[in-house]
mmCIF file with all atom_site columns, all heavy atoms in Angstrom:
data_model
loop_
_atom_site.group_PDB
_atom_site.id
_atom_site.type_symbol
_atom_site.label_atom_id
_atom_site.label_alt_id
_atom_site.label_comp_id
_atom_site.label_asym_id
_atom_site.label_entity_id
_atom_site.label_seq_id
_atom_site.pdbx_PDB_ins_code
_atom_site.Cartn_x
_atom_site.Cartn_y
_atom_site.Cartn_z
_atom_site.occupancy
_atom_site.B_iso_or_equiv
_atom_site.pdbx_formal_charge
_atom_site.auth_seq_id
_atom_site.auth_comp_id
_atom_site.auth_asym_id
_atom_site.auth_atom_id
_atom_site.pdbx_PDB_model_num
ATOM 1   N N   . LEU A 1 233 ? -69.871 63.239 -31.377 1.00 91.00 ? 233 LEU A N   1
ATOM 2   C CA  . LEU A 1 233 ? -69.166 64.027 -32.389 1.00 91.00 ? 233 LEU A CA  1
ATOM 3   C C   . LEU A 1 233 ? -67.972 63.271 -32.949 1.00 91.00 ? 233 LEU A C   1
ATOM 4   O O   . LEU A 1 233 ? -67.694 63.356 -34.154 1.00 91.00 ? 233 LEU A O   1
ATOM 5   C CB  . LEU A 1 233 ? -68.704 65.343 -31.768 1.00 91.00 ? 233 LEU A CB  1
ATOM 6   C CG  . LEU A 1 233 ? -69.808 66.285 -31.272 1.00 91.00 ? 233 LEU A CG  1
ATOM 7   C CD1 . LEU A 1 233 ? -69.223 67.538 -30.623 1.00 91.00 ? 233 LEU A CD1 1
ATOM 8   C CD2 . LEU A 1 233 ? -70.748 66.679 -32.410 1.00 91.00 ? 233 LEU A CD2 1
ATOM 9   N N   . ILE A 1 234 ? -67.264 62.532 -32.091 1.00 90.00 ? 234 ILE A N   1
ATOM 10  C CA  . ILE A 1 234 ? -66.124 61.737 -32.550 1.00 90.00 ? 234 ILE A CA  1
ATOM 11  C C   . ILE A 1 234 ? -66.586 60.670 -33.539 1.00 90.00 ? 234 ILE A C   1
ATOM 12  O O   . ILE A 1 234 ? -65.992 60.477 -34.608 1.00 90.00 ? 234 ILE A O   1
ATOM 13  C CB  . ILE A 1 234 ? -65.384 61.099 -31.371 1.00 90.00 ? 234 ILE A CB  1
ATOM 14  C CG1 . ILE A 1 234 ? -64.634 62.165 -30.573 1.00 90.00 ? 234 ILE A CG1 1
ATOM 15  C CG2 . ILE A 1 234 ? -64.416 60.007 -31.835 1.00 90.00 ? 234 ILE A CG2 1
ATOM 16  C CD1 . ILE A 1 234 ? -64.039 61.669 -29.267 1.00 90.00 ? 234 ILE A CD1 1
ATOM 17  N N   . LEU A 1 235 ? -67.672 59.972 -33.186 1.00 88.00 ? 235 LEU A N   1
ATOM 18  C CA  . LEU A 1 235 ? -68.179 58.909 -34.048 1.00 88.00 ? 235 LEU A CA  1
ATOM 19  C C   . LEU A 1 235 ? -68.636 59.470 -35.398 1.00 88.00 ? 235 LEU A C   1
ATOM 20  O O   . LEU A 1 235 ? -68.384 58.862 -36.448 1.00 88.00 ? 235 LEU A O   1
ATOM 21  C CB  . LEU A 1 235 ? -69.345 58.187 -33.361 1.00 88.00 ? 235 LEU A CB  1
ATOM 22  C CG  . LEU A 1 235 ? -69.872 56.929 -34.029 1.00 88.00 ? 235 LEU A CG  1
ATOM 23  C CD1 . LEU A 1 235 ? -68.767 55.879 -34.160 1.00 88.00 ? 235 LEU A CD1 1
ATOM 24  C CD2 . LEU A 1 235 ? -71.045 56.358 -33.256 1.00 88.00 ? 235 LEU A CD2 1
ATOM 25  N N   . ARG A 1 236 ? -69.270 60.628 -35.387 1.00 88.00 ? 236 ARG A N   1
ATOM 26  C CA  . ARG A 1 236 ? -69.706 61.248 -36.623 1.00 88.00 ? 236 ARG A CA  1
ATOM 27  C C   . ARG A 1 236 ? -68.499 61.612 -37.500 1.00 88.00 ? 236 ARG A C   1
ATOM 28  O O   . ARG A 1 236 ? -68.519 61.403 -38.724 1.00 88.00 ? 236 ARG A O   1
ATOM 29  C CB  . ARG A 1 236 ? -70.536 62.493 -36.340 1.00 88.00 ? 236 ARG A CB  1
ATOM 30  C CG  . ARG A 1 236 ? -71.208 63.082 -37.571 1.00 88.00 ? 236 ARG A CG  1
ATOM 31  C CD  . ARG A 1 236 ? -72.054 64.287 -37.230 1.00 88.00 ? 236 ARG A CD  1
ATOM 32  N NE  . ARG A 1 236 ? -71.221 65.427 -36.809 1.00 88.00 ? 236 ARG A NE  1
ATOM 33  C CZ  . ARG A 1 236 ? -71.724 66.634 -36.524 1.00 88.00 ? 236 ARG A CZ  1
ATOM 34  N NH1 . ARG A 1 236 ? -73.026 66.836 -36.567 1.00 88.00 ? 236 ARG A NH1 1
ATOM 35  N NH2 . ARG A 1 236 ? -70.915 67.621 -36.164 1.00 88.00 ? 236 ARG A NH2 1
ATOM 36  N N   . ALA A 1 237 ? -67.446 62.154 -36.869 1.00 85.00 ? 237 ALA A N   1
ATOM 37  C CA  . ALA A 1 237 ? -66.259 62.512 -37.628 1.00 85.00 ? 237 ALA A CA  1
ATOM 38  C C   . ALA A 1 237 ? -65.564 61.284 -38.189 1.00 85.00 ? 237 ALA A C   1
ATOM 39  O O   . ALA A 1 237 ? -65.064 61.295 -39.318 1.00 85.00 ? 237 ALA A O   1
ATOM 40  C CB  . ALA A 1 237 ? -65.303 63.305 -36.744 1.00 85.00 ? 237 ALA A CB  1
ATOM 41  N N   . VAL A 1 238 ? -65.525 60.214 -37.398 1.00 83.00 ? 238 VAL A N   1
ATOM 42  C CA  . VAL A 1 238 ? -64.873 58.968 -37.854 1.00 83.00 ? 238 VAL A CA  1
ATOM 43  C C   . VAL A 1 238 ? -65.615 58.363 -39.035 1.00 83.00 ? 238 VAL A C   1
ATOM 44  O O   . VAL A 1 238 ? -65.011 57.891 -40.011 1.00 83.00 ? 238 VAL A O   1
ATOM 45  C CB  . VAL A 1 238 ? -64.772 57.978 -36.684 1.00 83.00 ? 238 VAL A CB  1
ATOM 46  C CG1 . VAL A 1 238 ? -64.406 56.582 -37.188 1.00 83.00 ? 238 VAL A CG1 1
ATOM 47  C CG2 . VAL A 1 238 ? -63.745 58.438 -35.665 1.00 83.00 ? 238 VAL A CG2 1
ATOM 48  N N   . LEU A 1 239 ? -66.945 58.369 -38.970 1.00 81.00 ? 239 LEU A N   1
ATOM 49  C CA  . LEU A 1 239 ? -67.736 57.800 -40.057 1.00 81.00 ? 239 LEU A CA  1
ATOM 50  C C   . LEU A 1 239 ? -67.613 58.591 -41.350 1.00 81.00 ? 239 LEU A C   1
ATOM 51  O O   . LEU A 1 239 ? -67.859 58.052 -42.441 1.00 81.00 ? 239 LEU A O   1
ATOM 52  C CB  . LEU A 1 239 ? -69.213 57.735 -39.635 1.00 81.00 ? 239 LEU A CB  1
ATOM 53  C CG  . LEU A 1 239 ? -69.542 56.744 -38.514 1.00 81.00 ? 239 LEU A CG  1
ATOM 54  C CD1 . LEU A 1 239 ? -70.990 56.827 -38.115 1.00 81.00 ? 239 LEU A CD1 1
ATOM 55  C CD2 . LEU A 1 239 ? -69.167 55.317 -38.911 1.00 81.00 ? 239 LEU A CD2 1
ATOM 56  N N   . GLU A 1 240 ? -67.231 59.863 -41.253 1.00 78.00 ? 240 GLU A N   1
ATOM 57  C CA  . GLU A 1 240 ? -67.065 60.695 -42.446 1.00 78.00 ? 240 GLU A CA  1
ATOM 58  C C   . GLU A 1 240 ? -65.710 60.483 -43.122 1.00 78.00 ? 240 GLU A C   1
ATOM 59  O O   . GLU A 1 240 ? -65.501 60.943 -44.249 1.00 78.00 ? 240 GLU A O   1
ATOM 60  C CB  . GLU A 1 240 ? -67.226 62.174 -42.079 1.00 78.00 ? 240 GLU A CB  1
ATOM 61  C CG  . GLU A 1 240 ? -68.657 62.541 -41.731 1.00 78.00 ? 240 GLU A CG  1
ATOM 62  C CD  . GLU A 1 240 ? -68.791 63.990 -41.278 1.00 78.00 ? 240 GLU A CD  1
ATOM 63  O OE1 . GLU A 1 240 ? -67.727 64.668 -41.162 1.00 78.00 ? 240 GLU A OE1 1
ATOM 64  O OE2 . GLU A 1 240 ? -69.917 64.447 -41.057 1.00 78.00 ? 240 GLU A OE2 1
ATOM 65  N N   . LEU A 1 241 ? -64.787 59.804 -42.425 1.00 73.00 ? 241 LEU A N   1
ATOM 66  C CA  . LEU A 1 241 ? -63.487 59.512 -43.034 1.00 73.00 ? 241 LEU A CA  1
ATOM 67  C C   . LEU A 1 241 ? -63.668 58.473 -44.138 1.00 73.00 ? 241 LEU A C   1
ATOM 68  O O   . LEU A 1 241 ? -64.269 57.415 -43.921 1.00 73.00 ? 241 LEU A O   1
ATOM 69  C CB  . LEU A 1 241 ? -62.506 59.007 -41.976 1.00 73.00 ? 241 LEU A CB  1
ATOM 70  C CG  . LEU A 1 241 ? -62.064 60.022 -40.914 1.00 73.00 ? 241 LEU A CG  1
ATOM 71  C CD1 . LEU A 1 241 ? -61.187 59.336 -39.864 1.00 73.00 ? 241 LEU A CD1 1
ATOM 72  C CD2 . LEU A 1 241 ? -61.307 61.175 -41.541 1.00 73.00 ? 241 LEU A CD2 1
ATOM 73  N N   . SER A 1 242 ? -63.145 58.764 -45.330 1.00 69.00 ? 242 SER A N   1
ATOM 74  C CA  . SER A 1 242 ? -63.381 57.880 -46.449 1.00 69.00 ? 242 SER A CA  1
ATOM 75  C C   . SER A 1 242 ? -62.618 56.559 -46.388 1.00 69.00 ? 242 SER A C   1
ATOM 76  O O   . SER A 1 242 ? -63.218 55.503 -46.522 1.00 69.00 ? 242 SER A O   1
ATOM 77  C CB  . SER A 1 242 ? -63.075 58.619 -47.766 1.00 69.00 ? 242 SER A CB  1
ATOM 78  O OG  . SER A 1 242 ? -61.793 59.197 -47.721 1.00 69.00 ? 242 SER A OG  1
ATOM 79  N N   . PRO A 1 243 ? -61.309 56.546 -46.138 1.00 72.00 ? 243 PRO A N   1
ATOM 80  C CA  . PRO A 1 243 ? -60.634 55.231 -46.041 1.00 72.00 ? 243 PRO A CA  1
ATOM 81  C C   . PRO A 1 243 ? -61.050 54.534 -44.729 1.00 72.00 ? 243 PRO A C   1
ATOM 82  O O   . PRO A 1 243 ? -60.924 55.120 -43.642 1.00 72.00 ? 243 PRO A O   1
ATOM 83  C CB  . PRO A 1 243 ? -59.137 55.578 -46.036 1.00 72.00 ? 243 PRO A CB  1
ATOM 84  C CG  . PRO A 1 243 ? -59.048 57.020 -46.424 1.00 72.00 ? 243 PRO A CG  1
ATOM 85  C CD  . PRO A 1 243 ? -60.341 57.646 -46.018 1.00 72.00 ? 243 PRO A CD  1
ATOM 86  N N   . ARG A 1 244 ? -61.535 53.321 -44.846 1.00 73.00 ? 244 ARG A N   1
ATOM 87  C CA  . ARG A 1 244 ? -61.969 52.595 -43.653 1.00 73.00 ? 244 ARG A CA  1
ATOM 88  C C   . ARG A 1 244 ? -60.815 52.357 -42.692 1.00 73.00 ? 244 ARG A C   1
ATOM 89  O O   . ARG A 1 244 ? -61.004 52.397 -41.482 1.00 73.00 ? 244 ARG A O   1
ATOM 90  C CB  . ARG A 1 244 ? -62.578 51.242 -44.073 1.00 73.00 ? 244 ARG A CB  1
ATOM 91  C CG  . ARG A 1 244 ? -63.219 50.473 -42.922 1.00 73.00 ? 244 ARG A CG  1
ATOM 92  C CD  . ARG A 1 244 ? -63.887 49.213 -43.448 1.00 73.00 ? 244 ARG A CD  1
ATOM 93  N NE  . ARG A 1 244 ? -64.996 49.541 -44.311 1.00 73.00 ? 244 ARG A NE  1
ATOM 94  C CZ  . ARG A 1 244 ? -66.243 49.751 -43.868 1.00 73.00 ? 244 ARG A CZ  1
ATOM 95  N NH1 . ARG A 1 244 ? -66.501 49.698 -42.592 1.00 73.00 ? 244 ARG A NH1 1
ATOM 96  N NH2 . ARG A 1 244 ? -67.195 50.009 -44.725 1.00 73.00 ? 244 ARG A NH2 1
ATOM 97  N N   . ARG A 1 245 ? -59.637 52.134 -43.219 1.00 73.00 ? 245 ARG A N   1
ATOM 98  C CA  . ARG A 1 245 ? -58.474 51.918 -42.360 1.00 73.00 ? 245 ARG A CA  1
ATOM 99  C C   . ARG A 1 245 ? -58.156 53.153 -41.524 1.00 73.00 ? 245 ARG A C   1
ATOM 100 O O   . ARG A 1 245 ? -57.837 53.048 -40.343 1.00 73.00 ? 245 ARG A O   1
ATOM 101 C CB  . ARG A 1 245 ? -57.252 51.525 -43.206 1.00 73.00 ? 245 ARG A CB  1
ATOM 102 C CG  . ARG A 1 245 ? -56.010 51.214 -42.386 1.00 73.00 ? 245 ARG A CG  1
ATOM 103 C CD  . ARG A 1 245 ? -54.893 50.734 -43.278 1.00 73.00 ? 245 ARG A CD  1
ATOM 104 N NE  . ARG A 1 245 ? -55.220 49.470 -43.941 1.00 73.00 ? 245 ARG A NE  1
ATOM 105 C CZ  . ARG A 1 245 ? -54.414 48.877 -44.804 1.00 73.00 ? 245 ARG A CZ  1
ATOM 106 N NH1 . ARG A 1 245 ? -53.240 49.416 -45.101 1.00 73.00 ? 245 ARG A NH1 1
ATOM 107 N NH2 . ARG A 1 245 ? -54.775 47.738 -45.368 1.00 73.00 ? 245 ARG A NH2 1
ATOM 108 N N   . ALA A 1 246 ? -58.281 54.335 -42.125 1.00 71.00 ? 246 ALA A N   1
ATOM 109 C CA  . ALA A 1 246 ? -58.018 55.569 -41.397 1.00 71.00 ? 246 ALA A CA  1
ATOM 110 C C   . ALA A 1 246 ? -59.065 55.781 -40.318 1.00 71.00 ? 246 ALA A C   1
ATOM 111 O O   . ALA A 1 246 ? -58.756 56.258 -39.216 1.00 71.00 ? 246 ALA A O   1
ATOM 112 C CB  . ALA A 1 246 ? -58.014 56.751 -42.366 1.00 71.00 ? 246 ALA A CB  1
ATOM 113 N N   . ALA A 1 247 ? -60.334 55.427 -40.633 1.00 71.00 ? 247 ALA A N   1
ATOM 114 C CA  . ALA A 1 247 ? -61.391 55.568 -39.633 1.00 71.00 ? 247 ALA A CA  1
ATOM 115 C C   . ALA A 1 247 ? -61.164 54.653 -38.449 1.00 71.00 ? 247 ALA A C   1
ATOM 116 O O   . ALA A 1 247 ? -61.303 55.055 -37.288 1.00 71.00 ? 247 ALA A O   1
ATOM 117 C CB  . ALA A 1 247 ? -62.752 55.276 -40.292 1.00 71.00 ? 247 ALA A CB  1
ATOM 118 N N   . LEU A 1 248 ? -60.779 53.400 -38.725 1.00 77.00 ? 248 LEU A N   1
ATOM 119 C CA  . LEU A 1 248 ? -60.514 52.456 -37.652 1.00 77.00 ? 248 LEU A CA  1
ATOM 120 C C   . LEU A 1 248 ? -59.309 52.868 -36.809 1.00 77.00 ? 248 LEU A C   1
ATOM 121 O O   . LEU A 1 248 ? -59.308 52.729 -35.594 1.00 77.00 ? 248 LEU A O   1
ATOM 122 C CB  . LEU A 1 248 ? -60.297 51.054 -38.236 1.00 77.00 ? 248 LEU A CB  1
ATOM 123 C CG  . LEU A 1 248 ? -61.525 50.365 -38.831 1.00 77.00 ? 248 LEU A CG  1
ATOM 124 C CD1 . LEU A 1 248 ? -61.132 49.044 -39.461 1.00 77.00 ? 248 LEU A CD1 1
ATOM 125 C CD2 . LEU A 1 248 ? -62.595 50.142 -37.767 1.00 77.00 ? 248 LEU A CD2 1
ATOM 126 N N   . LYS A 1 249 ? -58.284 53.394 -37.485 1.00 77.00 ? 249 LYS A N   1
ATOM 127 C CA  . LYS A 1 249 ? -57.101 53.853 -36.763 1.00 77.00 ? 249 LYS A CA  1
ATOM 128 C C   . LYS A 1 249 ? -57.416 55.014 -35.842 1.00 77.00 ? 249 LYS A C   1
ATOM 129 O O   . LYS A 1 249 ? -56.938 55.089 -34.708 1.00 77.00 ? 249 LYS A O   1
ATOM 130 C CB  . LYS A 1 249 ? -56.010 54.236 -37.760 1.00 77.00 ? 249 LYS A CB  1
ATOM 131 C CG  . LYS A 1 249 ? -54.702 54.633 -37.104 1.00 77.00 ? 249 LYS A CG  1
ATOM 132 C CD  . LYS A 1 249 ? -53.640 54.972 -38.152 1.00 77.00 ? 249 LYS A CD  1
ATOM 133 C CE  . LYS A 1 249 ? -52.334 55.380 -37.470 1.00 77.00 ? 249 LYS A CE  1
ATOM 134 N NZ  . LYS A 1 249 ? -51.282 55.727 -38.487 1.00 77.00 ? 249 LYS A NZ  1
ATOM 135 N N   . ALA A 1 250 ? -58.268 55.929 -36.343 1.00 75.00 ? 250 ALA A N   1
ATOM 136 C CA  . ALA A 1 250 ? -58.650 57.087 -35.527 1.00 75.00 ? 250 ALA A CA  1
ATOM 137 C C   . ALA A 1 250 ? -59.462 56.653 -34.316 1.00 75.00 ? 250 ALA A C   1
ATOM 138 O O   . ALA A 1 250 ? -59.239 57.122 -33.189 1.00 75.00 ? 250 ALA A O   1
ATOM 139 C CB  . ALA A 1 250 ? -59.449 58.079 -36.373 1.00 75.00 ? 250 ALA A CB  1
ATOM 140 N N   . PHE A 1 251 ? -60.413 55.761 -34.535 1.00 77.00 ? 251 PHE A N   1
ATOM 141 C CA  . PHE A 1 251 ? -61.261 55.336 -33.426 1.00 77.00 ? 251 PHE A CA  1
ATOM 142 C C   . PHE A 1 251 ? -60.511 54.438 -32.450 1.00 77.00 ? 251 PHE A C   1
ATOM 143 O O   . PHE A 1 251 ? -60.838 54.374 -31.262 1.00 77.00 ? 251 PHE A O   1
ATOM 144 C CB  . PHE A 1 251 ? -62.497 54.608 -33.938 1.00 77.00 ? 251 PHE A CB  1
ATOM 145 C CG  . PHE A 1 251 ? -63.578 54.427 -32.913 1.00 77.00 ? 251 PHE A CG  1
ATOM 146 C CD1 . PHE A 1 251 ? -64.350 55.511 -32.512 1.00 77.00 ? 251 PHE A CD1 1
ATOM 147 C CD2 . PHE A 1 251 ? -63.820 53.196 -32.309 1.00 77.00 ? 251 PHE A CD2 1
ATOM 148 C CE1 . PHE A 1 251 ? -65.332 55.369 -31.566 1.00 77.00 ? 251 PHE A CE1 1
ATOM 149 C CE2 . PHE A 1 251 ? -64.796 53.051 -31.361 1.00 77.00 ? 251 PHE A CE2 1
ATOM 150 C CZ  . PHE A 1 251 ? -65.559 54.141 -30.990 1.00 77.00 ? 251 PHE A CZ  1
ATOM 151 N N   . ASN A 1 252 ? -59.480 53.739 -32.947 1.00 79.00 ? 252 ASN A N   1
ATOM 152 C CA  . ASN A 1 252 ? -58.693 52.852 -32.079 1.00 79.00 ? 252 ASN A CA  1
ATOM 153 C C   . ASN A 1 252 ? -57.991 53.625 -30.973 1.00 79.00 ? 252 ASN A C   1
ATOM 154 O O   . ASN A 1 252 ? -57.710 53.076 -29.904 1.00 79.00 ? 252 ASN A O   1
ATOM 155 C CB  . ASN A 1 252 ? -57.673 52.086 -32.916 1.00 79.00 ? 252 ASN A CB  1
ATOM 156 C CG  . ASN A 1 252 ? -56.991 50.996 -32.129 1.00 79.00 ? 252 ASN A CG  1
ATOM 157 O OD1 . ASN A 1 252 ? -57.635 50.155 -31.486 1.00 79.00 ? 252 ASN A OD1 1
ATOM 158 N ND2 . ASN A 1 252 ? -55.667 50.998 -32.144 1.00 79.00 ? 252 ASN A ND2 1
#
Side-chain angles (χ1 to χ4, degrees):
L233 297 178
I234 289 172
L235 188 59
R236 189 178 69 176
V238 167
L239 293 176
E240 289 176 355
L241 293 175
S242 51
R244 187 176 295 272
R245 182 176 297 178
L248 290 175
K249 184 179 180 180
F251 194 74
N252 189 52

